[in-house]
Amino acid sequence: MTKRDPAASDSAARDSATPASAAREAAALGEQLRRHAHLYYVLDSPEIPDAEYDRLFRRLEEIEAAHPALRTPDSPTQRVGGKALESFAKVRHKVPMLSIRTETDITPAGASAFDSRVRRELGLAEDAPQVEYVCELKFDGLALNLRYEAGVLVQAATRGDGQVGEDVTQSIRTVQQIPLRLLGEVPPVVEVRGEVYMRRDAFEKLNERQREKIAAGRKNEKVFVNPRNAAAGAVRQLDPAIAASRPLAFFAYGLGEVTPPDQGGPDWATQFEWLQQFHAWGFPVASQTQRARGAIELIAFHETVGRLRDTLPYDIDGVVYKVDSLALQQRLGFVSREPRWAVAHKFPAQEQITEVLAIEVQVGRTGKLTPVAKLAPIFVGGVTVTNATLHNEDETRRKDVRVGDQVIVRRAGDVIPEVVGVLPESAARPEGERGPVFSMPRQCPVCGSEALREEGEADYRCTGGLFCAAQRKEAILHFAARRAMDIEGLGDRLVEQMVDAQIVRTLPDLYKLGLSTLAALERMADKSAKKLVDALEASKKTTLPRFLFGLGIRHVGESTARDLALHFGKLDAIMDADEAQLLEVNDIGPVVATSVHAFFAQPHNREVVEQLRASGVRWDEAEPAARAPKPLAGKTFVITGTLPTLTRDEAKDKLETAGAKVAGSVSKKTDYVVAGEEAGSKLDKAQALGVPVIDEAGLLRILQGEAG
């Protein structure tokens, strides 16, 4: 029996739909598209990715093409999309802000198809010269029309529905990249069009501040989904101070109304001349913008920008091709709502919708536990994705991701796919219809060791470093490193072979390796095997600091290993020390003390140490050193903002070395808050509670014993 293709059958069924069923589907699609367009353009709160909106839009276009009577004036296919907000004055565009056609074929054929259409519409013969184009980036921001009279900005308006937009002049005046007065000679009237956007780094800083506000109890605050939403939301603020507080940027790329040449306006012949003039007037124009001749150069531009896409500091979702000659643009004209002389050539969609089939926990090479969503396969970012990271327990709960949910998955370039969020209708299901709230297991799923989360950290980590199979390769490489046991010749490839072949399961197995076993490995000759055996033998005579460092205890670097060895003198004393005793060590604070104590509290870690000793690993031991004072013992500090010369980690290390506790949140028990630039909600809370606030200079004075 021949198995039928469900997708092909569904497509055939749609194509042969009766007028009645087509009308019902068109009405439903129209309603969906209007709702999602309102969420995206008006409320800045999209629920679906752009790719899903495009898919619905294309399906409605297909139905209307098959049944022209269903193409109504209010159909989403007959308008640009969006609506002016009631709270803003409406602006009727002198020249409509029309959208351009989207070429959804992401292969080079998409560029070739556009060039072929242009040549056909112009009636060019095969041997006619190549058409010249301007190639631009397709920004993911908010389109604006900026009107200048006598060179002065008099009005800024959003696209709206293409005919009528919103007056956002006051907000736009706060964008530093938009000139309030144009440079040089200017026509009496000119409207410059472009995109207001937010850089990715600025977006991350904004969301960090938003999370701090939410943590401080501000109920009306939210974390933004993407830079486009954050930029659009800033522009649509009635209070321009809010727009000014968000780091917005702008690129110019288009022209609206302009005084004609016979009345004192410019006499331009090409699109590229516009862009050069925009730059001369003081507007930023994307540096990647360039001219191209024919399909081959269009393809080259698409491929070049595609490779650069993820390195750009802002989001784009494709490129735009425009016929350069304004005279040819006029000859080509428009079809329906779109110019024939321009097209947007998209890249693979970076967001798609799929279902969460399961949530599993993976253990990384360093013991970090990461929840991973197992997904119904989905093509996103150019590849088929079946797994997406949920980062950690807090993020999974904040997004409320559960098994069975419909989620938005994002993949950009080589970045690991991640779950952006749950579709609202999926999250709104009754509690009994959704999977349980995710909780991180308290034991490592690979080795069963205890999983701990340190204070102030988001991640859980397996404590079975020397025992856990997931960490085995990393543990061996660290143990063999030059500054640890210094086992020359034991590199990545060899460790990979030995672990994969299960020749080495734990560190003591290294000292059981013989010449015959090593010589049998790939690319391992007798001479190399002999050198490694000799290196292993030589490594047995070491020092206590090197051995401690080689064990790979979290937060124990070379300096801390030396301090532990100097303070306790003997390994057994370190292994048996409680956290209070470990805190007495110079340069050791609560985080390191907890980590060392947890490591040696695991029986299998102690067993590995004893087996290494039994294998002949040895070192000289000594009596414990005199104990160093802890002048800030019992004091609690909180660090917030960016300090002038110290990183947060450096400031934390100095405080913990002096015996202080560094907490992640401010309370009445906090002794000092160390505040730098952009301190945020922690500074507000400290001031509200009357907690002393100091800067970096004050911190250094306290550390030097001048105050406190």
Side-chain angles (χ1 to χ4, degrees):
M1 181 177 177
T2 304
K3 187 181 290 186
R4 71 188 185 96
D5 182 350
S9 299
D10 290 346
S11 178
R14 288 197 300 264
D15 291 343
S16 62
T18 64
S21 64
R24 287 193 295 271
E25 186 180 358
L29 285 168
E31 186 61 34
Q32 279 183 276
L33 288 165
R34 277 187 284 272
R35 176 175 176 272
H36 288 303
H38 180 76
L39 287 168
Y40 187 91
Y41 290 104
V42 179
L43 301 182
D44 305 315
S45 300
E47 292 182 356
I48 61 174
D50 288 353
E52 178 68 7
Y53 183 93
D54 291 343
R55 185 188 68 78
L56 297 172
F57 192 96
R58 289 196 301 272
R59 176 56 189 153
L60 183 56
E61 284 185 318
E62 290 170 7
I63 294 173
E64 292 177 349
H67 305 280
L70 298 178
R71 189 181 293 119
T72 59
D74 64 342
S75 168
T77 64
Q78 302 305 298
R79 57 182 288 171
V80 176
K83 180 183 178 183
L85 289 172
E86 295 296 329
S87 52
F88 289 99
K90 294 180 180 179
V91 175
R92 181 165 292 278
H93 299 300
K94 302 288 186 179
V95 177
M97 292 184 71
L98 300 179
S99 62
I100 59 176
R101 181 180 183 275
T102 296
E103 177 56 69
T104 54
D105 182 347
I106 62 174
T107 70
S112 297
F114 172 62
D115 180 60
S116 296
R117 283 196 303 273
V118 168
R119 294 181 67 84
R120 185 169 59 251
E121 293 287 345
L122 291 173
L124 299 179
E126 286 188 15
D127 58 351
Q130 300 285 358
V131 177
E132 292 193 351
Y133 299 97
V134 170
C135 301
E136 305 171 359
L137 304 183
K138 186 177 183 297
F139 304 104
D140 194 11
L142 183 72
L144 288 179
N145 184 80
L146 306 172
R147 184 176 179 85
Y148 290 83
E149 296 179 359
V152 177
L153 178 66
V154 296
Q155 188 182 73
T158 62
R159 181 197 299 271
D161 65 2
Q163 301 290 334
V164 177
E166 310 146 7
D167 188 330
V168 291
T169 310
Q170 291 303 103
S171 293
I172 290 307
R173 286 181 184 278
T174 69
V175 181
Q176 296 293 330
Q177 288 188 321
I178 294 178
L180 299 180
R181 179 184 290 275
L182 302 181
L183 304 174
E185 292 186 22
V186 295
V189 173
V190 64
E191 292 179 346
V192 176
R193 290 172 175 177
E195 204 95 355
V196 67
Y197 68 97
M198 190 176 292
R199 289 172 56 100
R200 294 194 194 110
D201 54 356
F203 171 71
E204 292 301 328
K205 288 181 180 178
L206 172 63
N207 261 352
E208 185 177 340
R209 292 198 297 271
Q210 292 300 107
R211 291 188 188 98
E212 287 187 358
K213 291 176 182 177
I214 293 168
R218 299 190 188 179
K219 295 181 180 179
N220 294 329
E221 300 293 343
K222 68 175 183 178
V223 174
F224 295 98
V225 175
N226 53 46
R228 193 265 172 203
N229 288 32
V235 170
R236 289 190 173 98
Q237 293 291 335
L238 291 174
D239 180 2
I242 297 177
S245 71
R246 296 186 190 172
L248 299 176
F250 182 79
F251 277 127
Y253 55 67
L255 190 68
E257 183 185 20
V258 61
T259 304
D262 60 359
Q263 297 177 31
D267 189 11
W268 292 319
T270 66
Q271 182 91 17
F272 198 71
E273 286 180 84
W274 291 3
L275 297 174
Q276 290 178 309
Q277 185 61 67
F278 293 162
H279 186 70
W281 282 338
F283 289 99
V285 175
S287 60
Q288 295 80 8
T289 302
Q290 65 181 56
R291 278 172 157 158
R293 291 173 61 87
I296 292 176
E297 293 188 10
L298 292 182
I299 291 168
F301 182 78
H302 185 263
E303 291 178 343
T304 299
V305 175
R307 288 191 294 270
L308 294 174
R309 179 185 188 185
D310 297 314
T311 66
L312 295 173
Y314 42 79
D315 286 346
I316 63 171
D317 58 3
V319 295
V320 175
Y321 313 133
K322 298 175 181 175
V323 172
D324 192 26
S325 165
L326 301 183
L328 290 183
Q329 287 185 13
Q330 193 169 10
R331 274 179 59 189
L332 288 163
F334 295 80
V335 54
S336 183
R337 63 191 184 96
E338 301 165 345
R340 289 191 177 94
W341 43 264
V343 74
H345 193 184
K346 285 204 169 186
F347 295 130
Q350 293 184 304
E351 290 185 351
Q352 291 284 12
I353 294 173
T354 189
E355 181 183 356
V356 178
L357 303 178
I359 298 178
E360 298 179 355
V361 174
Q362 292 182 354
V363 184
R365 287 164 62 99
T366 60
K368 176 184 171 183
L369 273 60
T370 302
V372 174
K374 313 298 285 188
L375 307 169
I378 189 72
F379 191 76
V380 56
V383 300
T384 299
V385 170
T386 56
N387 297 322
T389 181
L390 293 166
H391 297 293
N392 53 55
E393 183 181 73
D394 289 349
E395 274 293 284
T396 306
R397 290 189 171 193
R398 183 181 68 79
K399 294 173 181 174
D400 194 22
V401 180
R402 308 193 201 180
V403 175
D405 284 345
Q406 293 287 311
V407 295
I408 298 172
V409 176
R410 178 176 175 83
R411 180 186 181 272
D414 295 327
V415 177
I416 296 170
E418 67 169 340
V419 173
V420 176
V422 180
L423 291 187
E425 56 264 35
S426 189
R429 290 177 298 155
E431 194 65 29
E433 295 182 15
R434 300 186 72 199
V437 175
F438 174 78
S439 291
M440 187 68 75
R442 298 306 184 257
Q443 284 78 39
C444 171
V446 174
C447 70
S449 299
E450 186 178 7
L452 291 179
R453 178 179 180 176
E454 295 173 358
E455 183 178 350
E457 293 239 346
D459 299 316
Y460 281 83
R461 292 182 181 272
C462 168
T463 57
L466 303 182
F467 175 74
C468 183
Q471 303 173 67
R472 194 170 290 158
K473 293 175 185 177
E474 187 70 21
I476 294 169
L477 286 168
H478 180 79
F479 185 77
R482 184 172 61 85
R483 296 186 177 184
M485 300 300 286
D486 193 18
I487 306 175
E488 189 176 351
L490 193 58
D492 292 45
R493 289 186 178 179
L494 186 55
V495 168
E496 189 116 7
Q497 278 192 72
M498 293 190 297
V499 172
D500 290 346
Q502 298 192 7
I503 296 170
V504 175
R505 293 182 177 85
T506 187
L507 297 180
D509 289 344
L510 291 170
Y511 295 101
K512 299 174 186 176
L513 294 171
L515 280 173
S516 58
T517 301
L518 290 170
L521 294 172
E522 185 181 348
R523 298 180 182 177
M524 179 63 75
D526 289 346
K527 186 176 180 181
S528 299
K530 176 66 167 61
K531 288 180 72 173
L532 181 55
V533 169
D534 291 345
L536 284 163
E537 186 62 32
S539 73
K540 289 181 180 179
K541 182 66 174 82
T542 186
T543 66
L544 181 53
R546 277 179 172 270
F547 183 76
L548 281 170
F549 177 56
L551 292 178
I553 305 168
R554 182 162 163 76
H555 299 304
V556 176
E558 293 174 79
S559 176
T560 302
R562 282 195 299 270
D563 290 336
L564 284 166
L566 181 65
H567 182 91
F568 288 101
K570 300 178 181 180
L571 179 61
D572 287 340
I574 299 171
M575 292 170 66
D576 294 337
D578 58 26
E579 290 188 40
Q581 292 170 315
L582 289 165
L583 282 169
E584 295 174 0
V585 180
N586 182 46
D587 280 350
I588 285 188
V591 171
V592 180
T594 298
S595 181
V596 174
H597 182 261
F599 181 88
F600 288 118
Q602 296 293 322
H604 47 71
N605 286 340
R606 286 176 170 263
E607 178 63 23
V608 168
V609 171
E610 294 311 314
Q611 288 181 18
L612 286 169
R613 279 172 158 170
S615 299
V617 178
R618 60 200 183 280
W619 54 83
D620 293 330
E621 295 193 331
E623 293 303 313
R627 296 179 180 178
K630 294 281 187 178
L632 296 182
K635 300 286 187 183
T636 299
F637 287 70
V638 171
I639 305 169
T640 182
T642 303
L643 302 180
T645 65
L646 296 174
T647 66
R648 287 199 194 190
D649 286 341
E650 288 169 343
K652 182 179 179 181
D653 286 345
K654 289 180 180 293
L655 284 165
E656 289 181 344
T657 298
K661 175 184 176 182
V662 179
S665 58
V666 180
S667 71
K668 292 180 179 179
K669 296 182 179 179
T670 304
D671 292 290
Y672 293 97
V673 167
V674 184
E677 289 186 12
E678 298 185 2
S681 60
K682 293 177 183 177
L683 176 59
D684 296 339
K685 190 169 183 180
Q687 292 169 337
L689 293 175
V691 174
V693 178
I694 58 174
D695 57 10
E696 182 184 289
L699 168 64
L700 294 175
R701 285 196 297 271
I702 289 176
L703 289 168
Q704 292 163 5
E706 297 176 15

